[in-house]
Amino acid sequence: MTKTLYLMRHGETLFNQQKKIQGWCDSPLTEKGIRQAQIAGNYFKKHNIVFDDAYASTSERASDTLEQVTDMPYKRVKGLKEWNFGRFESESESLNPPLPYGDFFAGYGGEEEFQFRERVSETLMNIMKEAGTTVLAVSHGAACRQFMRNWAHTSEVDQKDRLGNCCILKFEFKHDTFKLLEIINHDFSSLE
């Protein structure tokens, strides 16, 4: 059976605006972030996309985004949380090492890159095995990127640029395999 996963990044937050590292720590959505989520919700309505199930990271910015997109009940799932950046949490983004980060943050109490990728990938695999046919999952920028990397070998679609707030990644799930079908606007702030 083929299923569809819409994996979405949360809306803009106060820390995004302030250029602060935000992994397991949290900050509220800005007015722009709320509007981005509402615009994404309108996209789904306009295209008659109805979800059987919805999931969000346990971070408030993800669940607050989901609540702007749809009013349906949803589950909060720890495995969808952002990368744990250890002691770099809430510090200036200027302290980030050059990409790719690799295991840099593990030396400061954070997660190793492949540990993080495995966590997100395993979580989404489990979600899709239990969920209905069309699923929304709201997570985070690095989580979405690592999930894309995990399934890059099955997909022809790629996005080298940063994944903007409320970016939606549409995946096909079939036979325990994900395939990225489409990247739906990488920055909903420019849509009306």
Side-chain angles (χ1 to χ4, degrees):
M1 172 188 223
T2 302
K3 298 182 180 186
T4 304
L5 168 65
Y6 291 91
L7 178 60
M8 182 175 163
R9 184 181 178 207
H10 61 80
E12 182 191 71
T13 66
L14 181 63
F15 277 13
N16 291 148
Q17 228 178 35
Q18 295 174 345
K19 306 277 189 238
K20 289 188 175 186
I21 298 170
Q22 159 176 254
W24 282 20
C25 68
D26 212 355
S27 69
L29 294 179
T30 61
E31 287 300 316
K32 179 180 177 182
I34 291 168
R35 183 73 187 123
Q36 289 169 327
Q38 292 168 344
I39 293 168
N42 289 335
Y43 169 86
F44 290 123
K45 287 178 190 146
K46 180 179 173 186
H47 290 88
N48 298 312
I49 299 167
V50 179
F51 303 109
D52 297 307
D53 295 287
Y55 301 82
S57 155
T58 52
S59 297
E60 264 186 58
R61 62 191 185 268
S63 56
D64 288 351
T65 297
L66 190 144
E67 290 170 10
Q68 294 295 323
V69 171
T70 180
D71 59 1
M72 72 181 293
Y74 65 95
K75 294 180 186 172
R76 297 178 79 210
V77 181
K78 285 184 182 180
L80 293 176
K81 283 180 78 161
E82 181 60 291
W83 198 329
N84 180 346
F85 296 115
R87 290 193 294 262
F88 284 80
E89 295 277 338
S90 77
E91 296 294 338
S92 171
E93 287 179 359
S94 66
L95 298 175
N96 276 333
L99 291 169
Y101 295 155
D103 293 338
F104 175 83
F105 296 105
Y108 298 92
E111 284 178 287
E112 295 176 1
E113 181 176 8
F114 287 104
Q115 174 190 22
F116 168 51
R117 184 181 298 177
E118 179 68 20
R119 170 174 58 82
V120 173
S121 296
E122 185 177 307
T123 298
L124 285 166
M125 179 70 72
N126 291 336
I127 283 172
M128 293 307 289
K129 286 180 178 180
E130 76 174 35
T133 304
T134 306
V135 178
L136 172 64
V138 180
S139 189
H140 308 270
C144 292
R145 175 67 69 192
Q146 289 295 327
F147 187 70
M148 282 175 62
R149 285 189 180 131
N150 194 61
W151 293 100
H153 65 284
T154 66
S155 306
E156 295 173 17
V157 176
D158 193 14
Q159 165 93 17
K160 299 292 184 208
D161 297 332
R162 185 176 169 272
L163 298 175
N165 292 105
C166 287
C167 174
I168 301 165
L169 307 172
K170 180 181 179 182
F171 287 90
E172 174 185 85
F173 177 71
K174 184 168 52 173
H175 307 298
D176 291 347
T177 302
F178 288 90
K179 179 179 181 180
L180 180 60
L181 300 177
E182 183 179 8
I183 299 171
I184 302 162
N185 201 310
H186 63 280
D187 185 3
F188 270 98
S189 63
S190 62
L191 280 185
E192 289 300 331

